[in-house]
Amino acid sequence: MRELRAEHGLLGQHVRRVLAELTTAPRSLDELIRRTGVSRRTVEQVLAAAGDDVEERAGALRIKDSLLSLYRRELDLDALPVACAEGDLDAEALEVMAGFVASGPRPESALDHVTATPETALRRAMWLRDHYDLDGRKVLCLGDHDLTSLALALVAPSAEVRVVDLDERVLRHIDSVAAERGFPVVTTHADLRFGLPPALEGWADAVFTDPPYTPEGIGLFAARAAECLAGATSRMFLAYGCSPRTPALGWKVQQELLRLGFAFEAILPQFNRYYGAQAIGSASDLYVCQPTPRTRKLASRQDQAIYTHGPQSVEASGDTPESMPQAAAERLGEPVAELRRAGWARPVREPGPVAFDLRADPGPWLLRMLLACGARKVAFVVGNNHPDVTSERAQSELRELVAAKYRLTLHRSVPDGKHAIVVAERADEREGAEAAAGFVLQRAHGKLGNVWREALIAASGELTKRQAREKVAELAPHSRDLELRLIDLPRHRIADVLRAMR
């Protein structure tokens, strides 16, 4: 064992931490990695070196009882400092946080989700509260599968917290918990590759993010965070981890942050712990980054692949088979020259037929593109496993959402048996409430309160602006949404708005 410590140099302390856990209580491999913050490969090396000294019972590992005192004495394990103390976490708050995490959506590998422990979410919120003045401050969670926003609402209720996320399930869960608990947390939908909701630009005093751990992912999320920061006194808090075996990857990530003009105010090692991510010891560091005068100027980024898994990954091919545009044209009944890329930062105003390649769509793109498009006829190529086409119920829900704007037709298993084509054709002119809904759907990039008011005036032909504004305030399910654009609302709140109109 001393030879193994010597082989790892300074990391010999990691070896001692693994052995200390094995002498304390039976531990599963997952527990060993998460509790010590040591990579899976190193833990497996330690177990291999210990050999028969380690026994396994019901999936749990431990140093044999007869050798416990020898190990603790020879390696001086009793003097080993705690690697990552959880601190004095409030037991009641931790129990509540654990409930939030347990009832939340499962991780989505295509979005590089790895769930942080409830302790980690709570420690993040407490650390920010204790080291920075959050009273009345604006805090943005840029991606929040870990539910850091809910932890902030628990321990820093005076902070104004907003969430931006691509995953509709995460937004629905946060909205549900916030409504139940009375938390003032506001959620907004965005795919950061296509831009930010305008209401968030320059809004935040602090941005917290735990992005995909690729240089491209870190660069994009940090750039969007920079666009959200209010000024020089703002801070970005970023979680990132890499294995000590791959320092070149960590260097590339740090280069991305430096390229954006961020200064490192602090790096807290192994601050975050996860269920999974064993290659990096189920742990990551917390970077505290201060913007410089150059940061905002350097923050402009183009959309790109940022993930490590699935069709949106850095390695995924972006080639479009020659048969795709032809198949889309056949279903449209009109020629299209090419399949265009997704993107809804601005309205798609072409009046003629267009076709879009949504094969990498993780779920929300199809609805957003239906809201963004103004063409009388448009086609979308999606995967056969797209969540909006996999069942009659899903198809029906999508049709109902956009019925006042488009009629949808689905063509399955074309042209290669792996894809589907959704054709949207402009709906007939409606009257009354449906006319108002169509008016709003056609103007999804306008501020909802203003567009809804104008929709009521146009539909009634009688209301004054003041009367229409009062009617909107009366009907709106969530008053906070009136300052946002319809296209930036989570899907379930878009449905709430349309139901209220009808």
Side-chain angles (χ1 to χ4, degrees):
M1 217 35 59
R2 293 185 183 276
E3 290 77 9
L4 184 59
R5 286 178 60 198
E7 177 185 336
H8 282 266
L10 289 174
L11 300 185
Q13 197 80 323
H14 294 5
V15 176
R16 294 177 68 207
R17 290 213 299 270
V18 174
L19 293 172
E21 288 293 331
L22 288 169
T23 62
T24 302
R27 306 289 189 200
S28 67
L29 180 62
D30 181 66
E31 286 179 306
L32 278 175
I33 296 168
R34 188 170 64 252
R35 291 177 65 89
T36 61
V38 177
S39 70
R40 180 181 182 125
R41 186 175 173 187
T42 298
V43 170
E44 289 174 339
Q45 282 186 330
V46 172
L47 293 173
D52 292 339
D53 292 355
V54 177
E55 60 181 0
E56 180 178 358
R57 295 180 183 176
L61 305 164
R62 191 179 184 184
I63 298 293
K64 291 179 178 177
D65 291 343
S66 59
L67 299 173
L68 287 176
S69 59
L70 174 64
Y71 264 78
R72 301 198 72 85
R73 182 178 68 252
E74 287 295 314
L75 296 179
D76 197 18
L77 297 182
D78 291 324
L80 184 67
V82 177
C84 185
E86 290 293 351
D88 298 324
L89 298 181
D90 179 84
E92 183 177 351
L94 182 56
E95 183 179 359
V96 171
M97 197 66 225
F100 295 162
V101 173
S103 60
R106 295 177 61 83
E108 174 56 65
S109 62
L111 299 178
D112 282 9
H113 283 167
V114 180
T115 304
T117 64
E119 292 85 355
T120 290
L122 198 56
R123 287 183 68 225
R124 289 171 175 174
M126 292 175 61
W127 193 90
L128 264 64
R129 178 200 63 190
D130 296 342
H131 289 81
Y132 295 87
D133 179 13
L134 297 186
D135 187 20
R137 303 296 182 184
K138 297 174 179 177
V139 184
L140 175 66
C141 293
L142 210 57
D144 197 28
H145 180 260
D146 295 334
L147 308 182
T148 302
S149 61
L150 298 180
L152 283 164
L154 274 175
V155 306
S158 63
E160 186 178 347
V161 182
R162 290 194 178 187
V163 175
V164 174
D165 206 293
L166 171 66
D167 192 334
E168 300 280 8
R169 305 170 308 152
V170 170
L171 297 174
R172 180 185 288 272
H173 180 59
I174 292 173
D175 273 355
S176 175
V177 172
E180 179 183 343
R181 293 270 174 172
F183 292 160
V185 177
V186 178
T187 61
T188 310
H189 181 277
D191 187 319
L192 300 184
R193 288 164 294 186
F194 306 140
L196 281 166
L200 296 177
E201 294 179 8
W203 177 84
D205 298 305
V207 175
F208 189 96
T209 186
D210 194 341
Y213 287 1
T214 61
E216 296 83 0
I218 297 289
L220 179 64
F221 274 64
R224 296 301 186 223
E227 293 177 50
C228 295
L229 293 176
T233 60
S234 305
R235 294 292 185 273
M236 177 181 72
F237 304 91
L238 181 143
Y240 171 72
C242 67
S243 170
R245 298 174 180 273
T246 57
L249 179 58
W251 175 77
K252 287 181 180 179
V253 163
Q254 292 179 349
Q255 287 291 93
E256 282 291 314
L257 297 174
L258 293 171
R259 185 189 64 76
L260 288 167
F262 280 108
F264 297 164
E265 189 170 89
I267 302 177
L268 283 62
Q270 297 191 328
F271 186 93
N272 309 282
R273 298 301 171 96
Y274 303 90
Y275 299 115
Q278 295 182 348
I280 59 172
S282 298
S284 72
D285 304 336
L286 180 63
Y287 283 65
V288 182
C289 300
Q290 182 176 8
T292 64
R294 302 178 63 222
T295 300
R296 182 64 66 86
K297 299 176 183 178
L298 296 170
S300 176
R301 302 275 299 194
Q302 294 182 347
D303 56 292
Q304 57 184 301
I306 58 175
Y307 298 106
T308 57
H309 303 91
Q312 304 175 88
S313 66
V314 174
E315 297 82 4
S317 170
D319 296 337
T320 301
E322 293 182 3
S323 57
M324 289 291 187
Q326 180 182 350
E330 289 175 357
R331 272 68 189 182
L332 277 171
E334 300 187 46
V336 291
E338 61 179 356
L339 295 185
R340 297 176 54 177
R341 299 175 68 185
W344 57 86
R346 291 178 293 275
V348 182
R349 299 190 184 280
E350 286 87 344
V354 290
F356 289 88
D357 183 357
L358 304 190
R359 290 175 298 151
D361 181 8
W365 295 3
L366 179 54
L367 172 61
R368 307 291 154 177
M369 291 304 299
L370 284 165
L371 294 176
C373 283
R376 59 181 176 80
K377 211 170 184 181
V378 58
F380 304 96
V381 179
V382 300
N384 260 342
N385 61 346
H386 189 283
D388 279 327
V389 305
T390 51
S391 69
E392 289 293 336
R393 178 178 178 181
Q395 296 169 32
S396 176
E397 289 176 352
L398 181 64
R399 286 192 176 98
E400 183 179 351
L401 272 176
V402 299
K405 180 180 182 180
Y406 280 127
R407 294 194 308 271
L408 304 184
T409 305
L410 174 66
H411 303 272
R412 296 298 299 269
S413 301
V414 292
D416 56 3
K418 298 179 181 179
H419 299 92
I421 295 178
V422 178
V423 174
E425 190 167 4
R426 185 73 61 80
D428 297 332
E429 291 294 328
R430 304 299 180 95
E431 296 181 356
E434 284 301 309
F439 188 99
V440 171
L441 289 170
Q442 290 283 2
R443 296 161 179 81
H445 287 81
K447 186 182 290 187
L448 177 59
N450 295 345
V451 175
W452 194 345
R453 181 195 66 206
E454 295 304 315
L456 291 182
I457 293 172
S460 71
E462 301 175 350
L463 294 175
T464 66
K465 282 191 174 183
R466 181 181 61 80
Q467 291 171 330
R469 185 167 52 249
E470 291 173 351
K471 190 66 174 175
V472 168
E474 175 189 336
L475 293 174
H478 310 283
S479 60
R480 63 182 182 269
D481 291 345
L482 298 179
E483 296 300 313
L484 300 173
R485 306 183 304 175
L486 184 75
I487 203 164
D488 296 329
L489 297 185
R491 181 171 177 150
H492 62 279
R493 296 218 306 274
I494 293 174
D496 289 346
V497 166
L498 296 174
R499 275 194 295 269
M501 286 184 174
R502 294 171 177 137

